[in-house]
Amino acid sequence: MSTLTTPHIDVHRGGDRMKTRVAWLDSKHSFSFGEHYDPDNTHHGLLLVNNEDIVLPGEGFETHPHRDMEIVTWVLSGSLVHQDSLGHNGVIYPGLAQRMSAGTGILHSEKNDSWRLSTAPEHDEPVHFVQMWVVPDEPGLTPGYQQLEVDDELAGGGLVTVASGLPRYRDRSAIAIASSHSALHVARMAGPAEPVEVRLPEAPYLHVFVARGEVEMEGVGTLYEGDAVRMVRSGGQRVTANLPSEILVWEMHARLGGQ
């Protein structure tokens, strides 16, 4: 558990993120990733990766390995085809939460080519998604996969728990992650036309990411698409939307190294 006692709030603007851009991919990294390394920006709490990716049709990440990581993928628009060495083969779309436990090792691919799995014609829509990695409780777990449709719950506009290992959310409809100190909440807010006030949970570590839109956070001010707030020993702030918006909130009760 965390031993930090001083509240701290840090705003990270979307334009300051590290970027990977190639012909088929526009990727923005909240933390050090791949060739982008900053020793002062490697993680927050137990969250090591918060990548926002846009992938062109017919393109994507070819088969590659992962191990000892809980990987949650959240699609904002379009569709993403997942295939892995456990035999899973399916399409991830907005409102469908997906978790892959890499454990002792897994191979998977992610591509924007859902027409291959159906009789639908080839589309020309990019897929826009956020992929997040958190550290599991222990290494060497058995690899696994889970997905869950939460679109109906999101329609209410409030904060919905979509992935969790925290015992306090055991009775929620959420995908399970092998991290007993972490939970991901999502709020899809319509904006001023249908005002909804979201209140953040209180935790030793919070990571709030504005996946789309524009919001106001109590005590912080306006946050724009791509902005993130890293919080220590804080929470309880109210968040409202200035535009149709979606926020992703990681609630964490430990950090890497256990401090």
Side-chain angles (χ1 to χ4, degrees), residues 147-195:
Q147 63 183 43
L148 183 69
E149 170 71 63
V150 292
D151 211 47
D152 289 345
E153 290 90 338
L154 289 168
L159 209 57
V160 175
T161 306
V162 302
S164 177
L166 281 168
R168 70 179 64 182
Y169 300 125
R170 193 165 286 143
D171 61 342
R172 306 283 180 94
S173 177
I175 54 176
I177 55 175
S179 176
S180 58
H181 299 295
S182 307
L184 171 65
H185 313 281
V186 177
R188 185 184 289 166
M189 297 177 282
E194 300 177 39

Side-chain angles (χ1 to χ4, degrees), residues 42-107:
T42 58
H43 67 283
H44 180 68
L46 294 168
L47 182 65
L48 271 73
V49 169
N50 187 84
N51 286 351
E52 180 185 0
D53 295 336
I54 297 175
V55 174
L56 294 182
E59 304 287 355
F61 301 95
E62 299 292 348
T63 302
H64 57 282
H66 291 287
R67 66 179 302 119
D68 291 329
M69 201 64 62
E70 297 293 290
I71 300 173
V72 179
T73 301
W74 185 255
V75 173
L76 298 167
S77 64
S79 60
L80 185 69
V81 174
H82 167 94
Q83 293 179 295
D84 65 42
S85 53
L86 297 178
H88 299 108
N89 186 341
V91 181
I92 315 167
Y93 49 85
L96 180 75
Q98 184 233 48
R99 177 267 298 164
M100 186 177 74
S101 297
T104 54
I106 192 169
L107 299 170

Side-chain angles (χ1 to χ4, degrees), residues 1-3 43-48 135-136 205 254-259:
M1 299 296 289
S2 171
T3 58
H43 67 283
H44 180 68
L46 294 168
L47 182 65
L48 271 73
V135 180
Y205 299 93
R255 61 161 290 170
L256 193 63
Q259 297 299 315

